[in-house]
Amino acid sequence: MENDSGVGRENSENHESREKPEAGAGKSRRHFTRHGYLRDFIRNDRGEYLYDGDVYCYNTPEIPFQSAFLRLLLLSCGAFLAQIPGGCFQSAGMRDSFYVVLPYVCALVSAGSMIWALVRLKWAGDPVRDYLYRVSARAFPLRAWLAVGFSFLAFLGQWIYLALHGAEGLLPETLAFQLLECVSAAAAFLAWRYFQKLSWKKRPGGQYRSGNG
């Protein structure tokens, strides 16, 4: 009985030692559990984590990436900057009409998210890791369309407000707001259309697991 008890304690201690690694490794393991993409990292013999997931290589040789990035960034900044003045001056419906204010705020955020996606894509380099590709290159077209759509809804909402309540003495400001919404939507659409010319080629991961790394 004593031997069995000793074996049980030893097995329990071994199990605890496997479940409770060093402090740094423990943080990494918990971090991996919260973020599924971290399963694509493997640990080498030196205790370092190496990325072993899929990557995407820029695959549009006729358009240099730097040139494409600058053009997309210029258009995205145009879409974003065109939204800012509309919130700085008073126009019809921008004070208390949710169907004008809400689409405007969403259009502003969507245009800003286009810039953020491009910055992340540039920061990720080439090739782009899968988890970064999904929040940058893959997400950009949708964000551009959201910017276009919400700009249109803000434009349409203001026309509805004008039909119901009139310009309230703010006709010049209202026309300026609508012009800015059109400019923002046009810039976002042009960014989306230009982005369709670009492509990335997927390169499967697993090189370290297969022993080729």
Side-chain angles (χ1 to χ4, degrees):
M1 293 295 291
E2 292 180 358
N3 291 338
D4 292 342
S5 177
V7 171
R9 285 196 299 270
E10 183 179 353
N11 289 337
S12 177
E13 290 174 357
N14 290 337
H15 178 73
E16 290 179 358
S17 66
R18 288 195 299 271
E19 292 298 322
K20 297 180 180 179
E22 297 176 359
K27 287 184 179 179
S28 298
R29 183 167 297 179
R30 289 193 297 272
H31 193 57
F32 280 34
T33 303
R34 289 197 302 269
H35 303 281
Y37 69 84
L38 290 175
R39 289 182 304 224
D40 290 330
F41 286 82
I42 63 171
R43 195 172 184 175
N44 65 12
D45 296 337
R46 293 177 294 180
E48 300 170 335
Y49 284 101
L50 304 174
Y51 180 74
D52 199 35
D54 299 337
V55 295
Y56 291 81
C57 304
Y58 183 69
N59 193 40
T60 315
E62 64 274 17
I63 305 177
F65 177 76
Q66 184 66 18
S67 174
F69 169 77
L70 290 176
R71 184 166 181 174
L72 288 169
L73 185 63
L74 180 64
L75 289 169
S76 299
C77 287
F80 179 73
L81 293 175
Q83 292 288 346
I84 294 177
C88 297
F89 57 80
Q90 191 65 22
S91 60
M94 278 295 286
R95 179 167 49 195
D96 53 6
S97 178
F98 75 93
Y99 53 84
V100 179
V101 176
L102 184 59
Y104 165 76
V105 172
C106 291
L108 178 66
V109 172
S110 298
S113 72
M114 291 171 61
I115 299 174
W116 179 235
L118 290 174
V119 171
R120 296 195 74 175
L121 181 61
K122 176 67 173 175
W123 171 77
D126 187 34
V128 187
R129 294 176 177 181
D130 177 70
Y131 62 91
L132 291 173
Y133 178 82
R134 284 188 274 114
V135 297
S136 56
R138 185 177 294 174
F140 184 84
L142 175 60
R143 297 182 185 190
W145 269 116
L146 287 174
V148 173
F150 283 123
S151 295
F152 173 75
L153 289 176
F155 179 90
L156 181 62
Q158 196 164 61
W159 273 107
I160 294 174
Y161 186 90
L162 288 172
L164 295 175
H165 306 286
E168 300 177 338
L170 298 171
L171 183 60
E173 294 86 349
T174 300
L175 294 176
F177 178 87
Q178 294 182 349
L179 177 62
L180 289 169
E181 291 304 303
C182 291
V183 170
S184 180
F189 175 76
L190 290 174
W192 171 84
R193 190 172 69 173
Y194 184 75
F195 194 86
Q196 302 311 301
K197 301 178 181 179
L198 312 179
S199 65
W200 279 261
K201 184 177 181 180
K202 183 178 180 179
R203 191 175 74 196
Q207 58 177 338
Y208 294 108
R209 290 183 177 87
S210 63
N212 297 327

